Amino acid sequence: MHNYFLQQAIDLAVDNVKMHNGGPYGAVIVKQGKVIAASGNRVTANIDPTAHAEVMAIRLACQVLKNFKLNGCTLYTSCEPCPMCLGAIYWAHLDNVYYACGREDAAKAGFDDSFIYDEIAMPPKKRQIAMLQLEMNDAQKPFLTWEQQENATLY
Amino acid sequence: MHNYFLQQAIDLAVDNVKMHNGGPYGAVIVKQGKVIAASGNRVTANIDPTAHAEVMAIRLACQVLKNFKLNGCTLYTSCEPCPMCLGAIYWAHLDNVYYACGREDAAKAGFDDSFIYDEIAMPPKKRQIAMLQLEMNDAQKPFLTWEQQENATLY
């Protein structure tokens, strides 16, 4: 069963390359034994560096279910999710994930997944893309406004 | 200069809460001293768990520049980027990032940023959202197809 859906993700990844949509990646999201969303990587086709197969499938599944949480859903992806997609998986509250290739296979093919995993462990200001915290008087104002807001929708 | 643009990101975050667009976050992207893209968090408004302020601003900036790489651009964000947004920042090849609040402030306000950073350090199958690698005969086929493809667009 899991192999069946993971094969679909792999087939999508192969087709995606042949159709020049983007990188060699595919993902499907399954709920109660049915595929509810599927996508290849669309970075180049959409001019969107966030349009990885997993992110695209998550966005699509949320539109299908009209819900920004995907509890009860499983993601099948042709390659181990990069840190961006891993974050997206947590924010979407998927149940679990199955993948075929690992981050080291992506690295061999010229993709930065493994490098980004290494960068996350660095202190923000020492990363190759330096991330610097500035002291701002209003820093907490967004969170304070959020806490005071009635009917704020948590996600 | 950096404080000026970071204040804009904070103001956007506050307005975003008041307009019920999503969470208390805002981001702006600056190129050569000019704001080229700005967004609040749109998770609830767009029914899209990936629609964090940073991701939205990156997507928008790429459309403006018609380029999936944002070299020469700086991101200003009201809060330290979560792992999803950190990944997006690397894939977008931004120059650097300035932020006001830290991940611990987000955690205090009820957001999972800090938790997701902890999860990344876990072995995939031991994460709270378990990520399991299956052995598949075709696992490498997408990457092999990619390597054989003429004119594949790297990103």
Side-chain angles (χ1 to χ4, degrees):
Chain A
M1 182 71 156
H2 293 310
N3 291 58
Y4 172 79
F5 290 121
L6 191 50
Q7 185 65 46
Q8 284 194 28
I10 293 170
D11 292 344
L12 247 175
V14 172
D15 290 345
N16 201 57
V17 175
K18 291 180 180 168
M19 293 187 297
H20 289 275
N21 283 335
Y25 301 96
V28 303
I29 292 177
V30 172
K31 185 174 187 177
Q32 294 171 336
K34 279 188 191 159
V35 173
I36 60 163
S39 183
N41 173 297
R42 303 277 307 183
V43 168
T44 49
N46 291 11
I47 317 177
D48 177 358
T50 75
H52 284 196
E54 299 93 323
V55 166
M56 293 300 289
I58 286 170
R59 282 185 205 155
L60 188 55
C62 290
Q63 295 309 312
V64 169
L65 300 180
K66 297 192 189 347
N67 194 331
F68 51 77
K69 288 190 178 178
L70 298 176
N71 302 92
C73 296
T74 296
L75 175 74
Y76 297 86
T77 173
S78 61
C79 186
E80 181 183 1
C82 80
M84 175 180 74
C85 294
L86 184 149
I89 287 160
Y90 275 86
W91 291 117
H93 297 267
L94 282 150
D95 276 10
N96 46 17
V97 175
Y98 292 89
Y99 63 94
C101 286
R103 68 183 79 170
E104 64 286 355
D105 299 306
K108 266 185 242 163
F111 295 95
D112 282 342
D113 303 48
S114 190
F115 165 68
I116 300 173
Y117 272 105
D118 294 340
E119 285 286 290
I120 284 180
M122 302 283 289
K125 64 183 173 185
K126 296 210 171 169
R127 292 187 187 127
Q128 290 202 20
I129 298 181
M131 303 189 184
L132 303 169
Q133 187 168 23
L134 300 184
E135 266 193 46
M136 300 289 288
N137 290 334
D138 286 350
Q140 300 295 334
K141 200 173 166 189
F143 290 126
L144 293 172
T145 309
W146 175 257
E147 282 158 17
Q148 288 158 7
Q149 186 82 352
E150 285 178 26
N151 308 318
T153 308
L154 269 170
Y155 55 86
Chain B
M1 183 70 157
H2 294 309
N3 291 57
Y4 171 78
F5 290 121
L6 192 49
Q7 184 65 45
Q8 285 193 30
I10 293 170
D11 292 344
L12 248 174
V14 172
D15 290 346
N16 200 58
V17 175
K18 292 181 179 167
M19 292 188 298
H20 289 274
N21 283 336
Y25 301 96
V28 302
I29 291 176
V30 172
K31 185 173 186 177
Q32 294 171 334
K34 278 188 192 160
V35 173
I36 60 162
S39 183
N41 173 298
R42 304 276 309 182
V43 169
T44 49
N46 290 12
I47 317 178
D48 178 358
T50 75
H52 283 197
E54 297 94 323
V55 166
M56 293 298 288
I58 286 171
R59 282 183 204 156
L60 188 56
C62 290
Q63 295 308 312
V64 169
L65 300 180
K66 299 192 190 343
N67 194 330
F68 50 78
K69 289 191 176 177
L70 299 175
N71 303 90
C73 297
T74 297
L75 175 74
Y76 297 86
T77 173
S78 61
C79 187
E80 183 183 358
C82 79
M84 175 179 74
C85 294
L86 184 149
I89 287 160
Y90 275 86
W91 292 117
H93 297 266
L94 283 150
D95 275 11
N96 47 17
V97 176
Y98 292 88
Y99 64 93
C101 286
R103 66 183 80 170
E104 63 286 354
D105 299 305
K108 265 186 240 162
F111 295 94
D112 282 342
D113 303 46
S114 190
F115 165 67
I116 300 174
Y117 272 105
D118 294 341
E119 286 286 290
I120 284 181
M122 302 282 289
K125 64 183 174 186
K126 296 211 170 167
R127 293 187 185 126
Q128 290 202 20
I129 299 181
M131 302 186 183
L132 302 170
Q133 187 168 22
L134 300 185
E135 266 193 47
M136 301 288 287
N137 290 335
D138 286 350
Q140 300 294 335
K141 199 173 167 190
F143 290 127
L144 294 173
T145 309
W146 175 257
E147 282 158 18
Q148 288 157 6
Q149 186 83 352
E150 285 178 26
N151 308 318
T153 308
L154 270 168
Y155 55 86

